[in-house]
Amino acid sequence: MVLCSKIRASQGRILLCGLAVLFMLVLAAPAIARSPTIKNIQSSDTIFLYERNLDISALHGNTGSPVVYLKHYSDFTGMTVDNSIAIGNENSYTVLPAEVGGIYGAYYAWNAAGLIDDGSGGSHQYYYVDIQEPLVTLGVVLADPYHVDSVEGLTISQTTPLAFRITSPKVGSTYHVGNLYPAQVSIVLIGPAGAETTLFGGVNHVNINVSATQFYSDDPGRVGSFTLEQQDPGTYQFQAKWTNPLEFAEEATDSNIVSFTIRGNPTTIPATSAPTTPPTVTTTVTTPPTTVPVTTVTVTTIPTTQPTTVVTTVPVTTPPTTAAPLPAVLVLAALGAVAFLIIAKKR
C-alpha cells in the first residue's frame, strides 16, 4: 500500500510538472489568425474586452461537450483559479469588462466535466483564449527619416514635416483574418479653440488600419506626413480614436492626447521679415544724425560767403564811382561865380 501511494504521488508530481511545462509552452506559442471570420475564435487566439457575439465553440475540441467556463489560473501547477467566467452560449460570447475584472491573460476552457483535455497517447491538449484590453498609444514625431525625434510638448514651425507613431501591440498583431486587419483608428486634431477635425495638412487621418504592433502614419501605403501651414499659431492636441470595430469605437478607451505648439513659418520669418525689418529700423535711427550735420554745414557756409561778397564790392566798385563826379561840380560852381562877378562890375 505504501509503495502504491509513493508511485501515485510520484506520478502526480510528474503530471503537475508536465502541466507546468505545457502551460509555459502554451503562453509562448505564437498567436494564430482568426478564421474563417473575425468572429470565429480558435484556441490560443487573443480576444478583447467589448467584443460581441464571438463563436468560441472550437475550444471544446473533439469532446463534443460545450464550453461552460473560461478560467484564469494564478498558479497553473497548483491549479489555482483566480477568475472564472461563465459561458451561457459558446456560439455567441461577449467579453464583458465586469466579468474579466482586470485579470488578463490565458483563460482555459472548461466543459461540464472540468478542464478540457483533448489529448491522446499520454499527451495533453488544452484549449484557451488570451483575453486582453484593446489599447492604442499615440506619439507625434518628425517625418521620415527622423522618426526618433519626438516633438511632443515642443514649439515648432508651421512648415515642419510631421508624422504620427501608432502603437497597439495586441490589436496590431492578433486582430486579423489572414492579411485583413479590420481594426481602425482616426487621428483627431483638437485646435486651440476646441474644434475637432481629422483633415489637416492636406491629409485626412481617418480609418487608419491597425495592422502592426507599431507603425508610422508616413510609412509606405499609409496616409503620409503632414504640416500645419494652414493653421494659426497656437497649441494643438491630437488623439487616436477607435473607429472600427464598432464595439471598440463605442466602448474602448481612446489613445493618450499629445500636443505641441506652432509659432509660424520659420523659413518666412528669417528670410522675409527678419532681414527686412532690421535694416528699416537701422536706417530710420541713423537718418537724424546724418541730416543734422548736413544742415549745420549749410548754415556755416552762408556766413562765410556773405563777408567775402561785401568786402569785394565796397572797396573796388563804390569809391571810384563816387570820386569822379566831385571835381566837375566844383569847376562848374567856380565858373558860375566868376561870371556873376563880371556881370556885377559892368553894372
Side-chain angles (χ1 to χ4, degrees), residues 284-309:
T284 302
V285 172
T286 55
T287 297
T290 303
T291 304
V292 171
V294 170
T295 304
T296 304
V297 170
T298 302
V299 172
T300 305
T301 302
I302 292 170
T304 304
T305 304
Q306 287 174 345
T308 303
T309 304

Side-chain angles (χ1 to χ4, degrees), residues 70-74 80-84 103-108:
L70 291 175
K71 296 195 177 188
H72 184 273
Y73 292 85
S74 61
T80 304
V81 174
D82 59 356
N83 194 33
S84 180
I103 300 176
Y104 302 110
Y107 277 75
Y108 286 81

